[in-house]
Amino acid sequence: QVQLVESGGGFVHSGDYLKLSCVASGGTFSMGAMGWFRQAPGKDREFVAAIRWIEANKSYADSVKGRFAISRDRAKNTVYLDLNSLKPEDTAVYYCAHSQKRPILSNMSSRQAYESWGQGTQVTVSS
């Protein structure tokens, strides 16, 4: 069982910056891809960004393109999400997700592509 631990959330103002981190651990496992999803109160969990581990192919939701950036440190089994120019509508719990398989590019935004999930970290953006 892969354990994922997110960190870096917080309370910020509109236009501010945050950096989220997620570390994967738990014995022997493969690194196919990691992603970030978010869930606002009363809404479904939605895709934010994902990265394939070896090739570093990246995928972003339209709502965050140009503002958020996903990256990974292979040696640390850690994925990062830089959140720039934050808006109140970015307020949500952000969840890290992990896939041991290498998803096809078109499937990277699907929740079903990931087997393991973190507990989430709260991001609150005030106007």
Side-chain angles (χ1 to χ4, degrees), residues 9-68:
F11 181 94
V12 295
H13 296 284
S14 185
D16 283 351
Y17 163 82
L18 277 176
K19 186 179 186 79
L20 306 183
S21 301
C22 175
V23 182
S25 63
T28 302
F29 55 89
S30 299
M31 296 293 287
M34 291 188 75
W36 289 96
F37 290 72
R38 67 186 182 186
Q39 188 166 16
K43 295 188 176 181
D44 291 334
R45 192 171 298 189
E46 65 175 5
F47 170 73
V48 176
I51 185 167
R52 285 208 294 193
W53 205 249
I54 303 299
E55 306 91 336
N57 303 107
K58 301 173 184 179
S59 178
Y60 294 96
D62 288 343
S63 59
V64 306
K65 275 181 184 175
R67 298 189 300 123
F68 292 7

Side-chain angles (χ1 to χ4, degrees), residues 3-126:
Q3 284 97 46
L4 303 175
V5 178
E6 303 102 333
S7 61
F11 181 94
V12 295
H13 296 284
S14 185
D16 283 351
Y17 163 82
L18 277 176
K19 186 179 186 79
L20 306 183
S21 301
C22 175
V23 182
S25 63
T28 302
F29 55 89
S30 299
M31 296 293 287
M34 291 188 75
W36 289 96
F37 290 72
R38 67 186 182 186
Q39 188 166 16
K43 295 188 176 181
D44 291 334
R45 192 171 298 189
E46 65 175 5
F47 170 73
V48 176
I51 185 167
R52 285 208 294 193
W53 205 249
I54 303 299
E55 306 91 336
N57 303 107
K58 301 173 184 179
S59 178
Y60 294 96
D62 288 343
S63 59
V64 306
K65 275 181 184 175
R67 298 189 300 123
F68 292 7
I70 190 169
S71 60
R72 82 321 189 209
D73 185 326
R74 292 178 62 179
K76 297 180 179 179
N77 281 351
T78 299
V79 66
Y80 304 98
L81 186 68
D82 289 288
L83 293 74
N84 296 286
S85 303
L86 280 161
K87 305 175 181 179
E89 50 263 45
D90 294 318
T91 295
V93 177
Y94 284 69
Y95 295 92
C96 174
H98 171 269
S99 172
Q100 296 204 45
K101 299 176 182 177
R102 178 175 164 273
I104 59 175
L105 292 175
S106 60
N107 208 35
M108 288 173 69
S109 61
S110 171
R111 291 173 57 181
Q112 286 68 39
Y114 303 89
E115 305 98 33
S116 302
W117 295 82
Q119 293 299 306
T121 184
Q122 177 71 46
V123 172
T124 303
V125 185
S126 170

